[in-house]
Structures are given as structure tokens and as C-alpha cells.
Amino acid sequence: MEFNVRQVPERRVAGFHMVGPWEKTVHQGFEQLSLWVKTHNIVGEEWLAVYYDNPDVVPAEKLRCDTVVSVAENFTVPDNSEGVITTRIEAGQYAVARARVDDGDFARPWNLFFNSLLADSRYQMAPKPCFEHYLNDGSESGVWEIDMYIPVIL
């Protein structure tokens, strides 16, 4: 899988922290996020999923992720936003790859990306979360375009 490495700016994000199998919690988290964004008229510039754990090491029931939207620096969480967190995605060097998911299998492009990155001796993965940026809303069509980000050390 082709990728490039670039400096990525810090992002302030707001949304939901989820724990459990990603194939369940990411979908659930985005349902909650979508409802929250609509209910409170939140302008989210980017829709993102942030992954904190390695699913080859951490049991599925303990996998952590955030389903979030990027927000302005001065954003404050509205009243009646139970469970909403604000946090940051660190700036830094990231390997970035684009993928199209049309079969619901988001793990497949991630696995291809990790394998490509591991095969490239110029880069080492940094101990920070990975994340994906959704470039479209594929909830109707079932086709998603995503950019995947893996933090690296040069």
C-alpha cells in the first residue's frame, strides 16, 4: 500500500470514548456522535476515529477508541452533552495512506497499511494513537473513503 509521511498539525476534538470490540464500538460511537452533532448543531470540520490499542495484543473487550469531530480551539461542550469528551490528537510526523472501504471491512486496509509501513526500514512507529479521517459519509452507500494516520519516528 502506498503511503507518504508528513507533518500533521494538532487537532482539538470532541466526541465519545468507547471501550470494547471496534467492529461494535466504532459504529455505536459514530451513531452517538451523529445524534449529538445534529442535536447541538455542532460544526465538526473532520470526522475521526482514534485508536489507542493494538488489537493483536489487547483483548477485544478492552480496545479503546474515540469517535470524534474536530472542533475550534475555543469550543465548549454544550449543556446536555452527557458522555462527551474533549481531547487532542498530537501533532507530529505521520505516515498517511488513503483507502476505499466498500465491504465494511475497515481492518483490511489498516492491516495492509501496517504491513507496508513495517516493511519500510526508514520508519519506526511512534507510541501514540493512530487515527482515521472519514472523507465522506458512507452510511447510505456503504462506500467509505478514509485517510489512515500512523505516527512515525524518522
Side-chain angles (χ1 to χ4, degrees):
M1 171 175 273
E2 289 186 31
F3 65 88
N4 62 60
V5 173
R6 62 181 183 237
Q7 179 68 28
V8 172
E10 180 179 79
R11 289 166 163 84
R12 184 158 190 251
V13 295
F16 296 89
H17 181 71
M18 310 298 289
V19 178
W22 286 335
E23 58 274 4
K24 177 183 174 187
T25 57
V26 174
H27 178 73
Q28 179 185 349
F30 276 116
E31 284 182 347
Q32 288 177 262
L33 183 64
S34 182
L35 181 60
W36 176 69
V37 164
K38 288 176 187 168
T39 301
H40 296 285
N41 297 314
I42 306 296
V43 177
E45 296 176 23
E46 300 171 309
W47 289 66
L48 309 158
V50 183
Y51 301 100
Y52 293 93
D53 301 303
N54 178 343
D56 293 334
V57 176
V58 176
E61 67 274 5
K62 294 185 178 183
L63 290 173
R64 299 169 297 149
C65 73
D66 294 340
T67 54
V68 294
V69 292
S70 59
V71 292
E73 195 59 38
N74 63 350
F75 176 80
T76 55
V77 176
D79 291 339
N80 300 316
S81 294
E82 188 174 328
V84 171
I85 61 155
T86 58
T87 187
R88 296 181 185 282
I89 298 174
E90 286 185 47
Q93 294 288 330
Y94 286 81
V96 182
R98 182 159 290 176
R100 175 186 165 113
V101 178
D102 56 15
D103 57 4
D105 186 1
F106 285 84
R108 188 176 149 280
W110 274 105
N111 289 331
L112 290 170
F113 186 17
F114 276 112
N115 289 338
S116 296
L117 186 58
L118 289 169
D120 191 324
S121 61
R122 295 174 295 170
Y123 308 107
Q124 178 182 348
M125 284 185 249
K128 298 191 297 189
C130 300
F131 66 98
E132 61 195 9
H133 172 206
Y134 296 84
L135 303 174
N136 71 313
D137 179 357
S139 56
E140 297 281 326
S141 68
V143 177
W144 303 88
E145 295 283 337
I146 60 172
D147 281 343
M148 302 173 291
Y149 293 76
I150 298 174
V152 294
I153 300 168
L154 302 177

